[in-house]
């Protein structure tokens, strides 16, 4: 298991390095990128199987015992998320074959893409809160490079907003980590789980916990710190937007779940109440913003923000059922948002139009694109029996059991408004006749070159697989529900996590 524990970090690093060596050979970079994500997925599946059978797994790098060394640890939640990271990475690597031009490939797309996967995998696997900061930095650098790649005006504008807010977040996080170390003398998360609840300076630790909540909230794009996301996610190519939408905010959410179930457990009632309020506001403000937008990917960006709110209310309810619903929703959201951004990119590319006022008639001219969009859009809206239905049912049930009736009502209203926003895209972009407007040339989005049948097939293949996956998650919900419940139980009772890390001798 030791090799498998470093697999989510090692394979993307090696792939990025090989792509750098093939800088002037875009064809070789494509091959390396595909093979790297494929090998990553196989190893991560074996890692998940090992965790499922054997429980929490841990390794100490350099044979330094915990809590002094660098800890890599996998439990059910982190193992599930690294599998999803590899799966979405593989789908985007295939989509990029038809979406990313040679000029972007020869200026760093593939190395940056795999550097981003490295940061995401490292954040999910680390057992040390300082190294969590390090992996956040890796993600920020790689994602800013991907967003600005091509140096077009809209991309630079969106990239500047993105990087400024994320750098502020990482600065707050670094300050919080420094204060935490000054108070406790340790940064190993399992060790912190023992030290923090027993520490005499609980007042200081509450302030530090608030700083962590602020930093992770900015990373996750929660209300009122979300505005950088819809200002930037629609500017890069669809392949880049999809990997961002699937993974980046989820790392922020994961960090909140990990730290506020493992470390900051004193005064949880107040913390969870704050998270619950932020979650409700994030849901509602996000979906209202989506309804007001005209650009397809800006609509999806606001819906992405709204989805983060659903995950937060699961955490904020502070129950096993609520947390299981949040984990289930996270898996669903990763699959569906990546599929939506990819299929939206295809629709805009084939129509040579970006805004809803210029789109139309795609149901007749592009029936496969229309069907794929309909499946993933209705899944996001929570239409049964698609994947989005079950986690919303679980979250509403958990809210009612906790007597959080306002939260349950907000979730139901948000679901209806999400359905309206998706129906708006469907009716304007797919169902109505195409308006008489001149084709647009949107920077970073549309390729002015021809889209042949072969290239179109490459673009639609990962979208189709993600659509099938969301159908499978909805129709056969029990396996994912079992995973979510097991992960939630382990988070609420982290004794196995703590014991495994602190008893690991390398």
């Amino acid at each position: 298991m030791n090799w498998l524990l470093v697999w989510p970090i090692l394979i993307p690093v090696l792939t990025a390095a090989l792509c750098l060596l093939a800088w002037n050979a875009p064809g070789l970079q494509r091959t390396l990128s595909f093979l790297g994500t494929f090998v990553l997925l196989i190893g991560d599946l074996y890692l998940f199987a090992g965790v499922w059978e054997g429980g929490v797994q841990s390794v100490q790098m350099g044979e330094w015992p915990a809590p002094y060394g660098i800890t890599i640890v996998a439990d059910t939640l982190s193992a599930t998320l690294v599998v999803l990271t590899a799966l979405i990475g593989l789908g985007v690597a295939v989509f990029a074959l038809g979406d990313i031009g040679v000029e972007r490939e020869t200026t760093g797309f593939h190395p940056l893409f795999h550097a981003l996967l490295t940061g995401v995998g490292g954040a999910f696997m680390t057992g040390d809160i300082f190294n969590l900061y390090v992996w956040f930095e890796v993600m920020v650098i790689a994602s800013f490079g991907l967003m600005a790649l091509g140096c077009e005006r809209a991309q630079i504008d969106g990239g500047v907003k993105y990087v400024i807010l994320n750098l502020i977040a990482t600065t707050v996080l670094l300050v919080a980590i420094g204060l935490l170390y000054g108070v406790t003398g340790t940064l190993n998360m399992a060790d912190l789980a023992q030290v923090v609840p027993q520490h005499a300076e609980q007042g200081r630790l509450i302030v530090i916990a608030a700083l962590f909540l602020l930093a992770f909230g900015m990373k996750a794009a929660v209300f009122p710190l979300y505005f950088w996301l819809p200002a930037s996610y629609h500017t890069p190519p669809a392949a880049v937007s999809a990997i961002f939408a699937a993974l980046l905010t989820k790392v922020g959410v994961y960090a909140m779940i990990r730290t506020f179930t493992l470390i900051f457990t004193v005064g949880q009632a107040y913390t969870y109440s704050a998270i619950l309020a932020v979650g409700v506001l994030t849901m509602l403000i996000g979906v209202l913003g989506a309804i007001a937008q005209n650009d397809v990917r800006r609509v999806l960006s606001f819906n992405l923000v709204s989805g983060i709110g659903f995950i937060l209310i699961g955490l904020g309810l502070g129950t096993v059922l609520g947390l299981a619903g949040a984990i289930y929703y996270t898996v669903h959201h990763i699959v569906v948002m990546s599929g939506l951004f990819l299929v939206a990119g295809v629709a805009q590319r084939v129509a040579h139009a970006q805004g809803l006022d210029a789109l139309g008639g795609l149901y007749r001219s592009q029936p496969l694109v229309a069907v794929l969009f309909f499946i993933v859009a209705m899944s996001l809206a929570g239409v049964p029996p698609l994947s989005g239905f079950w986690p919303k049912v679980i979250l509403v049930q958990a809210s009612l059991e906790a007597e959080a009736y306002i939260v349950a009502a907000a979730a139901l209203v948000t679901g209806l408004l999400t359905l309206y926003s998706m129906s708006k895209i469907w009716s304007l972009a797919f169902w109505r006749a195409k308006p008489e407007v001149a084709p647009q040339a949107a920077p970073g989005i549309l390729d002015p070159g021809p889209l042949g049948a072969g290239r179109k097939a490459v673009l639609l293949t990962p979208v189709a697989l993600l659509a099938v996956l969301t159908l499978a998650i909805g129709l056969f919900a029990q396996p994912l529900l079992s995973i979510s419940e097991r992960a939630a139980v382990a988070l609420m009772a982290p004794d196995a996590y703590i014991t495994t890390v602190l008893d690991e001798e390398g």
Side-chain angles (χ1 to χ4, degrees):
M1 285 296 297
N2 287 358
W3 276 104
L4 289 176
L5 286 168
V6 299
W7 198 266
I9 303 169
L10 178 64
I11 297 303
V13 165
L14 291 176
T15 307
L18 291 172
C19 289
L20 280 173
L21 294 175
W23 185 269
N24 294 318
L28 180 57
Q29 287 193 61
R30 295 186 203 112
T31 303
L32 291 169
S33 186
F34 172 78
L35 290 176
T37 50
F38 181 77
V39 171
L40 177 65
L41 177 59
I42 298 301
D44 287 351
L45 286 170
Y46 275 105
L47 172 63
F48 176 84
V51 171
W52 188 259
E53 293 295 327
V56 182
Q57 305 291 326
S58 176
V59 64
Q60 310 300 329
M61 306 304 293
E63 298 186 354
W64 284 83
Y68 308 107
I70 296 174
T71 300
I72 304 294
V73 57
D75 61 356
T76 304
L77 177 59
S78 57
T80 301
L81 291 176
V82 294
V83 168
L84 283 169
T85 299
L87 179 65
I88 300 303
L90 178 59
V92 170
V94 173
F95 188 89
L97 298 176
D99 185 57
I100 302 298
V102 174
E103 66 281 357
R104 284 188 171 95
E105 288 184 313
T106 54
T107 51
F109 168 78
H110 293 290
L112 289 169
F113 172 62
H114 288 278
L116 179 65
L117 295 181
T118 303
V120 174
F124 289 148
M125 296 295 293
T126 185
D128 180 280
I129 205 159
F130 178 78
N131 284 297
L132 180 63
Y133 160 79
V134 171
W135 295 122
F136 269 125
E137 286 294 282
V138 172
M139 287 191 302
V140 168
I141 294 169
S143 56
F144 177 67
L146 287 169
M147 182 167 289
L149 207 61
C151 297
E152 294 171 352
R153 184 182 181 89
Q155 291 177 261
I156 297 300
D157 179 64
V160 169
K161 296 172 183 175
Y162 169 83
V163 77
I164 288 176
L165 265 296
N166 274 274
L167 286 177
I168 292 173
T170 52
T171 301
V172 173
L173 178 58
L174 185 60
V175 170
I177 291 171
L179 292 173
L180 182 62
Y181 183 73
V183 171
T184 64
T186 182
L187 292 176
N188 182 282
M189 288 194 277
D191 197 33
L192 285 167
Q194 293 186 328
V195 172
V196 169
Q198 307 299 326
H199 203 279
E201 300 289 345
Q202 288 299 317
R204 294 183 182 180
L205 289 169
I206 290 172
V207 174
I208 293 169
L211 288 176
F212 276 103
L213 187 60
L214 176 62
F216 294 147
M218 293 177 74
K219 293 288 187 181
V222 306
F223 177 85
L225 308 168
Y226 66 90
F227 52 88
W228 59 268
L229 191 154
S232 57
Y233 272 28
H234 68 291
T235 59
V240 175
S241 294
I243 199 72
F244 285 7
L247 298 177
L248 294 190
T249 52
K250 307 308 183 299
V251 178
V253 170
Y254 167 81
M256 292 175 70
I257 292 173
R258 181 66 73 190
T259 53
F260 287 95
T261 58
L262 180 65
I263 300 172
F264 300 112
T265 56
V266 175
Q268 275 184 331
Y270 298 103
T271 304
Y272 284 166
S273 296
I275 292 173
L276 203 58
V278 170
V280 170
L281 290 171
T282 302
M283 280 194 306
L284 293 171
I285 297 300
V287 76
L288 290 173
I291 292 171
Q293 298 306 308
N294 180 60
D295 178 271
V296 176
R297 287 202 281 170
R298 282 182 66 87
V299 174
L300 299 180
S301 296
F302 275 98
N303 274 306
L304 172 60
V305 172
S306 181
I308 299 301
F310 276 99
I311 302 171
L312 289 186
I313 66 169
L315 172 62
L317 289 170
T319 64
V320 170
L321 184 61
L323 203 51
I327 294 167
Y328 197 124
Y329 195 93
T330 300
V331 174
H332 143 78
H333 207 237
I334 288 173
V335 174
V336 169
M337 289 311 304
S338 56
L340 277 170
F341 272 88
L342 292 180
V343 75
V346 176
Q348 291 177 319
R349 187 181 289 275
V350 297
H352 289 280
Q354 181 180 2
L356 288 172
D357 54 352
L359 289 167
L362 290 175
Y363 177 75
R364 294 173 179 82
S365 63
Q366 303 290 335
L368 180 56
V369 176
V371 169
L372 293 175
F373 176 85
F374 185 82
I375 292 172
V376 289
M378 292 304 102
S379 181
L380 180 69
V383 174
L386 299 168
S387 66
F389 174 72
W390 301 112
K392 289 182 179 179
V393 168
I394 295 170
L395 289 170
V396 170
Q397 180 184 349
S399 301
L400 294 176
E401 288 185 1
E403 299 183 354
Y405 302 116
I406 294 176
V407 175
L412 292 172
V413 170
T414 302
L416 291 174
L417 293 177
T418 303
L419 178 60
Y420 174 77
S421 70
M422 291 295 99
S423 300
K424 174 183 174 181
I425 296 178
W426 173 260
S427 62
L428 295 179
F430 291 90
W431 192 250
R432 69 169 179 174
K434 183 173 175 60
E436 296 294 331
V437 295
Q440 302 172 14
I445 295 176
L446 303 179
D447 185 351
L451 185 64
R455 191 176 182 189
K456 183 179 174 183
V458 169
L459 293 173
L460 289 179
T461 296
V463 180
L465 293 175
L466 290 171
V468 170
L469 183 56
T470 191
L471 276 171
I473 292 173
L475 293 172
F476 306 99
Q478 188 57 49
L480 182 54
L481 179 59
S482 298
I483 293 170
S484 302
E485 289 177 340
R486 177 167 167 173
V489 169
L491 288 167
M492 298 298 286
D495 293 344
Y497 181 100
I498 297 168
T499 301
T500 301
V501 171
L502 297 182
D503 287 352
E504 177 65 49
E505 297 178 357

